[in-house]
Amino acid sequence: MSKPVLMTVDDDPGVSRSVARDLRRRYGQDYRVVRAESGADALEALRELVLRGEPVAAILADYRMPGMNGIEFLEQAMDVAPHARRALLTAYADTDAAIQAINVVDVDHYLLKPWDPPEEKLYPVIDALVETWRAIGERSVEEIRVIGHRWSAECFAARDFLARNQVPYRYMSVDDPEGVRLLEAAGASPDDVPVLVTPDGRALTAPTEAEIAAAVGLTTDPATDFYDLIVIGGGPAGLGSAVYGASEGLRTVLVERQATGGQAGQSSRIENYLGFPDGVSGAQLTDRARRQAAKFGAEVLTTREVVALEARGSARVVRFGDGTEIAAHAVVLATGVSYRALEAPGVSDLTGRGVFYGSAATEAPACKGQDVYVVGGANSAGQAAVFFSRHAATVTVLVRGSSLEASMSSYLIKQLDAIDNITVRTGTEVVEAGGDGHLERLVLVDRNSGEQEGVKAASMFIFIGAAPRTEWLDGVVARDERGFVRTGPDLVVGGRRPQGWTLPRDPYHLESSVPGVFVAGDVRAESVKRVASAVGEGAMAVTLVHRYLSEQ
């Protein structure tokens, strides 16, 4: 098989030769470097490479090229070589163009000229590109086909589950000719949807999430019944614990109820996460963390809901909803929080039918030309508003409070102000939702005047509150009045350790009222609700797990 290709495109012959020289010096043994001096020439070369069956690993394109700039070229290159990773070469003055490239053509990186020394500024970027390409490769993408109704809550749940677990799928309506054909082949009717057809031809009628997970190859059953560390929850904190636990030699299993990433995994772009100056989507960050955990040997179980936690001697036992159990020396609780339900007439009936909790990125194409409402004033709501503004005719952000400053990062507030089709309405609540089978209208109330107003609405995305899912821990670990788990110094009151504490020391900083059970991320009482702090707590919890294990 021929060497994979690294392509560089720059209209300046001197720069083009310089980039190619640096690439050959580092990657020439394993990759073939191809250079072009215009976007048109590069597209022709790409087509020839594809026709000859030569894999293209990465493309570096200069932004300022006559006739076709780097963004326009990369947008067309995506159609020719969709698996190739993409980077934009740009001057410092063009960083706005680089940000545009990230948003428009999903560029993986941008490089500032000059890139000397390449060991510091060029090679780390190329290393990341080829590492990602190797993980995905040129293999064909085998799609799951989903047949359903546009306004079916069950169909939305199936598509959302696949999307959040980054499983490629193609959706078709029961009214599409191909959808009709597949329903007939599966022996199903339009009333049986969703129907999923796997690449090997199996048909699943109205499947559960566990059945979907098994069909697409997600791991649902543990490899053994005893581990060093069980991590419950697959958000940033849980993924952080899984990566650090497995990398430090602990037999680690991460248990996730639905999809890794948590609320952060649904964010269209996180722009204040350390080390990603051009931002990173929640899905990208989740995918990298999940692959990283797997690389170190951590198991990831999906669609397994934990319903009980018990201390049996030195073992910590976790019980699943189906009655099965696994045990470990230590446990990290990283279950995060859920959005609170919006209590207003009509909302629950229309959930999944135009009313959604979280960003529900799968709905973006359907929002084209529509009026969209985002309810909430925190960062997740702001990120969703920016994302949907690229699709919808209008996006209205509804905030109960008098301003966004208390709950949203300033960079997001500035972004919202700069986007013409986004409107922020403070002091406003939704008091009713209505429609014939799907959302068509909302009734809003001004909290100051009490005046109500009816508005047309095609979709509403809800981001309110932070409710921990900790009812299953009642009577096991100490929680505060809102259900968040208390840890460390908060458990020691008046010099007295928590009831039932058996060790001759105070609980460690992230340790719960049960020795060996640690807590990280949003579910912990008084935690900082940020992705970076959750990852940090997940890593710190593993350090404390090691300290705890050394005492046993």
Side-chain angles (χ1 to χ4, degrees), residues 8-14 16-17 35-42 65-66:
T8 171
V9 190
D10 199 304
D11 67 303
D12 185 326
S16 179
R17 285 193 294 269
R35 67 184 184 93
E37 295 183 2
S38 73
D41 289 346
M65 294 190 295

Side-chain angles (χ1 to χ4, degrees), residues 419-473:
I419 299 175
D420 292 338
N421 64 335
I422 293 181
T423 302
V424 177
R425 295 183 54 169
T426 57
T428 306
E429 287 186 82
V430 176
V431 294
E432 187 178 340
D436 185 10
H438 62 90
L439 180 67
E440 295 176 303
R441 59 189 177 274
L442 296 172
V443 178
L444 312 179
V445 64
D446 186 306
R447 286 169 54 83
N448 297 316
S449 67
E451 182 179 348
Q452 292 192 0
E453 174 190 3
V455 296
K456 292 182 179 180
S459 299
M460 176 171 64
F461 301 90
I462 302 169
F463 302 82
I464 57 172
R469 298 175 55 90
T470 59
E471 297 81 2
W472 60 281
L473 291 169

Side-chain angles (χ1 to χ4, degrees), residues 13-50:
V15 174
S16 179
R17 285 193 294 269
S18 179
V19 175
R21 180 199 65 224
D22 286 342
L23 291 178
R24 289 192 182 100
R25 188 171 65 189
R26 175 70 172 259
Y27 304 99
Q29 184 173 345
D30 300 313
Y31 294 85
R32 185 162 74 90
V33 178
V34 174
R35 67 184 184 93
E37 295 183 2
S38 73
D41 289 346
L43 286 172
E44 184 177 348
L46 272 178
R47 293 187 184 102
E48 290 181 5
L49 291 168
V50 171

Side-chain angles (χ1 to χ4, degrees), residues 110-125:
Y110 68 86
L111 281 162
L112 292 178
K113 296 186 288 188
W115 59 87
D116 289 329
E119 289 76 12
E120 294 181 14
K121 298 183 179 180
L122 176 65
Y123 296 153
V125 171

